[in-house]
């Protein structure tokens, strides 16, 4: 939305999202349920509606699990807000004004601009009251999570111990027992197959399914068939050059760095240095490159006199871009603040687009314009012919020069991931009484992206129970794999016991492989844990793990190499990770307390999903 709220929301989402597992243990089932109001959830008197979830998703298509995660995050936020208000915490008008005035998007020449603020609100159809309520909410949330975000400490003893664990290396060999190795020992009879069939009848019942025939009318396909001459494209470009402007600007800058999270006094000191340097630059603009080489703290451009080369919109950070694209060639800016520090900009050159560089875009635009008109006419014809000649698609093929496509059998639920055969509207039409039972063409179905489909059923198979004779081969295969996995696990566990007892069963161990917690070399997590759970003082050590696919893997831990010292960068990263883990742990406990304190009610509809 804007830098201030975006930065604060990021901190809030990180610390709240990291404790999502806090809610997994009890899920929505442990909340109270209600049905009298169509809200999704309620924390105290605050209600969360579907529109709140959609607002968070910003129109992005997501699955049910992602929607649930968004809802749970909103519940956590409401609990934090309820606690803040219960403690009589509030954002004062002065704090609110200061926060909004500090947002770079609302500033002009370093000062708050009412015009920019109004423009922002109008562009997002927001009222000042609604926007200020959102900022107040974000400020309260930030105040609630800040002690957990910045208040965690990691002892040197813990950091040293964790560094040793992370850098420890173990040399291992492995051998895998596969279910198929025990196939000869698996005993199956018809009674076992029949019993499995009877216990799993639903698995062997086919759903309604149909082979479909359909034609597709696409505006994009129409566009590809339209020819545009160079002369026509040139004439359109000359008349609408501004529409294809891809302006780039060459900017030089001098940067004095300042950490975005630095104390205000430190940032003010750097800003004062930048303003003094700006006076020096303006006193003699010809020295800009010289001063950039000597004073700029941007290692990527300083030695080039601050030259950043040409760039278009969307490349630089927003405050920097806004100033760069508002300047005139040769102009030197005021001091510009970004998350990197304080900049002084000089606009060196402006490069606009010519026809040659924009020819493809012009042709594409003209094709789309012509295709839109042709598509509208084709839609009308498609609708008429599909209805008038409803017993076949041949009339549609002939009238619109389209080619009918045929599918394999498709169930009512469609094919997951298929943009067409997984489309809910198309499936609803295909299995409607008019199409399925009366054998008519469907009406044109809008499947999105200016594409219409007319579908009919070529062949239908109703749901039925598959006979045992049809499925006994796959049942035998599944039972053999299942029983083989049991035998592999039993034999693997027995071999592990023998190895730990000092016996030496005949095994074809693989090559030696070095494993560490930071470099598992592709080893699955469960197996890595088993390897490092073995006593490092007893080598060789042994571990065994049953895999999800029925295999059983044995490990021989032949050697434990001493821990290596981490690089300063690795140590810093580990310290940050431990700090985050500590903060998340404390935050999890805090949220659990809030859940007990503030009643959360989930709607009955949501609870049943």
């Amino acid at each position: 939305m804007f830098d201030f709220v975006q930065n604060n929301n990021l901190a809030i989402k990180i610390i709240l999202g990291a404790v999502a597992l806090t809610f997994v243990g009890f899920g929505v089932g442990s909340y109270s349920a209600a049905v009298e109001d169509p809200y999704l959830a309620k924390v105290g008197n605050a209600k969360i509606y579907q529109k709140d979830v959609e607002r968070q998703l910003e129109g992005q298509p997501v699955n049910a699990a992602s929607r649930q995660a968004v809802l749970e995050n909103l519940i956590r936020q409401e609990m934090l807000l309820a606690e803040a208000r219960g403690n009589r915490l509030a954002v004062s008008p002065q704090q609110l004004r200061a926060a909004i005035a500090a947002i770079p998007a609302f500033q002009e020449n370093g000062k708050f601009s009412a015009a920019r603020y109004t423009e922002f609100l109008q562009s997002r159809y927001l009222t000042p009251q609604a926007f200020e309520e959102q900022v107040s909410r974000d400020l309260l949330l930030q105040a609630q999570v800040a002690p957990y975000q910045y208040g965690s400490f990691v002892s040197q003893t813990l950091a040293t111990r964790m560094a040793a664990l992370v850098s420890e290396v173990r040399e291992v060999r492995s051998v895998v027992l596969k279910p198929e190795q025990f196939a000869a020992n698996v005993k199956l009879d018809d009674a076992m197959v029949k019993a499995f069939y009877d216990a799993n009848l639903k698995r062997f019942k086919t759903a309604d399914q149909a082979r479909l025939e359909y034609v597709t009318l696409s505006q994009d396909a129409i566009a590809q068939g339209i020819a545009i001459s160079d002369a026509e494209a040139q004439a359109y470009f000359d008349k609408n050059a501004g529409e294809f402007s891809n302006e780039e600007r060459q900017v030089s800058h001098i940067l004095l760095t300042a950490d975005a999270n630095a104390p205000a006094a430190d940032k003010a000191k750097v800003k004062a240095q930048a303003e003094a340097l700006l006076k020096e630059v303006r006193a003699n603009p010809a020295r800009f490159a010289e001063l950039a080489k000597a004073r700029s703290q941007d290692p990527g451009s300083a030695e080039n006199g601050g030259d950043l080369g040409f760039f278009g919109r969307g490349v630089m950070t927003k405050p920097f871009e806004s100033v760069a694209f508002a300047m005139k060639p040769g102009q030197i800016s005021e001091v510009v603040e970004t998350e990197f520090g304080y900049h002084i900009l000089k606009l060196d050159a402006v490069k606009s687009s010519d026809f040659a560089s924009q020819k493809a875009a012009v042709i594409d635009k003209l094709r789309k314009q012509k295709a839109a008109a042709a598509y509208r006419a084709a839609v009308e014809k498609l609708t008429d012919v599909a209805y008038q000649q409803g017993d076949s698609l041949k009339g549609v093929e002939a009238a619109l020069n389209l080619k009918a496509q045929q599918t394999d059998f498709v169930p009512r639920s469609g094919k997951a991931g298929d943009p067409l055969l997984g489309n809910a509207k198309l499936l609803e039409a295909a299995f409607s009484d008019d199409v399925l039972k009366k054998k008519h063409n469907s009406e044109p179905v809008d499947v999105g992206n200016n594409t219409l489909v007319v579908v009919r059923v070529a062949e239908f198979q109703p749901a039925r129970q598959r006979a045992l004779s049809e499925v006994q081969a796959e049942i035998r295969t599944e039972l053999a794999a299942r029983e083989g996995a049991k035998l592999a696990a039993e034999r693997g566990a027995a071999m592990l016991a023998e190895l730990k007892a000092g016996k030496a069963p005949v095994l074809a161990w693989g090559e030696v492989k070095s494993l560490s917690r930071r470099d598992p070399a592709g080893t699955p997590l469960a197996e890595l844990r088993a390897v490092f759970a073995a006593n490092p003082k007893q080598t060789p050590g042994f571990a065994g793990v049953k895999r999800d696919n029925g295999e059983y893997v044995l490990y021989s831990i032949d050697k434990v190499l001493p821990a290596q010292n981490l690089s300063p960068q690795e140590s810093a990263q580990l310290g940050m990770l431990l700090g985050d883990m500590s903060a998340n742990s404390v935050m999890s406990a805090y949220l659990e307390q809030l859940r007990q304190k503030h009643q959360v009610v989930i709607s009955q509809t949501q609870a049943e999903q």
Side-chain angles (χ1 to χ4, degrees), residues 94-144:
Q94 294 81 3
Q95 289 174 311
L96 182 60
R97 283 197 298 270
I100 293 176
I103 297 171
F106 303 154
Q107 293 180 350
E108 190 168 358
N109 296 326
K111 296 182 179 179
F112 176 76
S113 167
R116 287 196 173 188
Y117 181 51
T118 301
E119 180 184 355
F120 172 87
L121 296 179
Q122 291 176 344
S123 68
R124 287 161 175 79
Y125 304 101
L126 287 170
T127 65
Q129 181 182 7
F131 178 73
E132 290 166 9
E133 286 176 357
Q134 180 61 51
V135 175
S136 294
R137 174 189 173 94
D138 290 334
L139 288 170
L140 276 179
L141 284 171
Q142 179 68 8
Q144 288 294 94

Side-chain angles (χ1 to χ4, degrees), residues 156-185:
Q156 185 60 45
T157 301
L158 175 60
T160 301
R161 174 59 179 154
M162 288 299 295
L165 290 174
V166 166
S167 61
E168 180 186 301
V169 176
R170 298 193 175 194
E171 293 185 353
V172 304
R173 292 173 295 153
S174 64
V175 62
V176 178
L177 305 182
K178 299 178 179 293
E180 50 265 35
Q181 295 174 231
F182 301 87
N185 298 324

Side-chain angles (χ1 to χ4, degrees), residues 437-451:
K437 295 181 179 180
K438 297 181 181 179
K439 302 187 183 302
H440 293 160
N441 294 335
S442 73
E443 294 180 355
V445 179
D446 186 348
V447 295
N449 196 30
N450 291 323
T451 302

Side-chain angles (χ1 to χ4, degrees), residues 13 28 38-42 47-78 134 137 602-603 606 609:
K13 287 176 182 175
V28 298
Y39 58 79
L40 299 180
K42 183 170 72 169
K47 296 177 181 178
I48 301 170
Y49 293 91
Q50 183 67 36
K51 64 182 180 181
D52 299 314
V53 173
E54 298 300 335
R55 190 179 297 116
Q56 293 290 316
L57 294 173
E58 296 182 339
Q60 296 297 315
V62 295
N63 57 27
S66 297
R67 287 182 177 277
Q68 181 64 29
V70 170
L71 175 59
E72 290 181 353
N73 193 49
L74 289 172
I75 290 171
R76 290 192 282 274
Q77 291 187 26
E78 289 298 342
Q134 180 61 51
R137 174 189 173 94
I602 295 291
S603 74
Q606 180 69 18
Q609 290 181 353

Side-chain angles (χ1 to χ4, degrees), residues 162-324:
M162 288 299 295
L165 290 174
V166 166
S167 61
E168 180 186 301
V169 176
R170 298 193 175 194
E171 293 185 353
V172 304
R173 292 173 295 153
S174 64
V175 62
V176 178
L177 305 182
K178 299 178 179 293
E180 50 265 35
Q181 295 174 231
F182 301 87
N185 298 324
V186 174
K187 306 299 181 184
L188 296 178
D189 56 33
D190 292 343
M192 293 176 64
V193 174
K194 179 66 164 59
F196 184 87
Y197 174 79
D198 291 340
N200 296 275
L201 287 174
K202 288 184 178 180
R203 278 186 53 184
F204 304 112
K205 186 174 182 179
T206 64
D208 286 346
Q209 53 185 359
R211 281 195 309 107
L212 305 178
E213 187 179 13
Y214 66 92
V215 292
T216 302
L217 177 65
S218 165
Q219 183 171 314
D220 286 344
I222 292 175
Q224 292 306 311
I226 296 175
I228 304 295
S229 69
D230 288 354
E232 185 179 4
Q234 178 73 64
Y236 188 89
F237 177 81
D238 292 342
K239 187 176 180 180
N240 303 276
E243 183 180 339
F244 299 94
S245 175
N246 190 22
E247 185 179 286
E248 293 185 337
R249 296 199 161 207
Q250 183 182 19
V251 174
S252 297
H253 81 137
I254 300 172
L255 169 66
L256 300 186
T257 58
D259 192 320
N261 297 318
D266 292 349
K267 294 174 69 174
K269 183 178 179 181
V270 177
K271 185 175 182 180
Q273 294 172 355
E275 289 173 341
L277 183 57
L278 175 61
K279 292 180 180 178
E280 192 173 346
V281 170
R282 284 184 167 164
N284 190 352
R287 292 188 61 214
F288 191 98
E290 175 190 341
L291 290 170
K293 286 182 179 181
R295 303 283 296 276
S296 180
Q297 295 171 347
D298 176 9
S301 68
E303 63 183 38
N304 298 322
D307 186 10
L308 294 169
F310 282 96
F311 58 85
R313 291 186 181 274
V315 175
M316 298 298 182
T317 189
K318 194 63 178 177
F320 191 103
E321 176 188 288
S322 297
V323 172

